Amino acid sequence: QVHLQQSGPGLVKPSQTLSLTCAISGDSVSDNYAGWNWIRQSPSRGLEWLGATRFRSRWDSYYAESVKSRIVIIADTSRNQFSLQLNSVTPEDTAVYYCARDRYWNYDYWGQGTLVTVSS
Amino acid sequence: QTVVTQEPSFSVSPGGTVTLTCGLNSGSVSSSYFPSWFQQTPGQPPRTLIHNTNSRSSGVPDRFSGSILGNKAALTITGAQADDESDYYCLLYLPGDIWVFGEGTKLTVL
């Protein structure tokens, strides 16, 4: 059974960096058939896929156009986790953030969600 | 910009059948977009109902089914129940290894 445990601050100031981590148990972040995703949800924007990282003989990351200029998703193999960094946040980035695994195009495991509020 | 379209709202009677659809502003949806469907209830992560067009996820009742109808992906609920009242989202896999969610459909059962 795979479990994804999210951690990170629930309050970030405008213009600063939002950082969240997703710790994996029951699978390896280096799983050749898995993608490790970040998704957010807000009342105004619904569900929004932000990006993913995955290992296919090398590490690659993929990002949504809407956040491409200010997002980094990176895996940490020593801790078996992956992280999200979203730079230059504004109140529009206030949302519940989820990490999720996709394997064979199936989003089969999700983190518990983290409400992140961007406010001074 | 790619937009994934869904009906904003839909209504179904208890025991009735409803089909929600998922389209693309730039063309047709096919199985090569690996459409998925999610049910979202407040305060919970999305629940995956269907993946790869028509594969039902573990524990999902067989009254939920996925397909391609014409140029769209479709989620059909047969024999709707009161607790099916929820928001439903589709998700498509697009060229460039990116995923895009639809805007969501609010389903009312009454």
Side-chain angles (χ1 to χ4, degrees):
Chain A
Q1 183 78 349
V2 176
H3 183 70
L4 304 180
Q5 182 67 41
Q6 298 177 217
S7 60
L11 181 63
V12 181
K13 288 181 167 42
S15 80
Q16 295 194 342
T17 296
L18 180 161
S19 297
L20 295 173
T21 297
C22 185
I24 304 162
S25 56
D27 193 5
S28 167
V29 73
S30 304
D31 181 346
N32 271 283
Y33 301 101
W36 305 99
N37 302 265
W38 286 99
I39 290 151
R40 68 183 178 184
Q41 183 168 32
S42 64
S44 60
R45 298 169 77 108
L47 284 169
E48 183 181 13
W49 180 85
L50 297 176
T53 191
R54 63 187 193 198
F55 184 75
R56 303 286 186 271
S57 73
R58 70 175 194 184
W59 287 101
D60 282 312
S61 296
Y62 306 89
Y63 304 122
E65 281 297 323
S66 61
V67 294
K68 197 169 187 175
S69 63
R70 56 191 185 100
I71 188 174
V72 176
I73 295 174
I74 193 163
D76 181 343
T77 56
S78 65
R79 298 183 180 184
N80 202 34
Q81 62 186 31
F82 63 108
S83 62
L84 165 70
Q85 289 185 21
L86 188 64
N87 304 318
S88 305
V89 296
T90 71
E92 291 261 307
D93 294 309
T94 294
V96 177
Y97 286 76
Y98 295 101
C99 60
R101 183 184 87 162
D102 79 273
R103 203 167 192 269
Y104 297 114
W105 301 278
N106 176 19
Y107 279 72
D108 53 2
Y109 292 99
W110 293 72
Q112 78 275 23
T114 302
L115 173 61
V116 179
T117 301
V118 179
S119 175
S120 53
Chain B
Q1 183 185 346
T2 300
V3 176
V4 178
T5 59
Q6 295 184 245
E7 298 87 358
S9 62
F10 230 118
S11 183
V12 62
S13 301
T17 296
V18 63
T19 296
L20 311 181
T21 67
C22 175
L24 269 176
N25 65 337
S26 55
S28 299
V29 177
S30 67
S31 292
S32 61
Y33 288 91
F34 300 97
S36 297
W37 290 91
F38 301 86
Q39 182 186 54
Q40 173 92 79
T41 52
Q44 296 295 319
R47 175 195 184 195
T48 307
L49 299 174
I50 301 289
H51 62 275
N52 291 359
T53 304
N54 54 15
S55 296
R56 203 174 298 113
S57 294
S58 178
V60 174
D62 60 7
R63 65 177 185 276
F64 292 93
S65 62
S67 63
I68 298 292
L69 283 181
N71 62 351
K72 295 183 179 182
L75 172 71
T76 298
I77 307 173
T78 305
Q81 300 181 1
D83 61 2
D84 295 335
E85 184 162 295
S86 190
D87 294 331
Y88 291 85
Y89 291 88
C90 68
L91 176 65
L92 299 179
Y93 182 64
L94 300 181
D97 292 297
I98 65 170
W99 296 87
V100 180
F101 280 97
E103 301 151 321
T105 297
K106 185 175 185 61
L107 180 67
T108 302
V109 181
L110 54 74

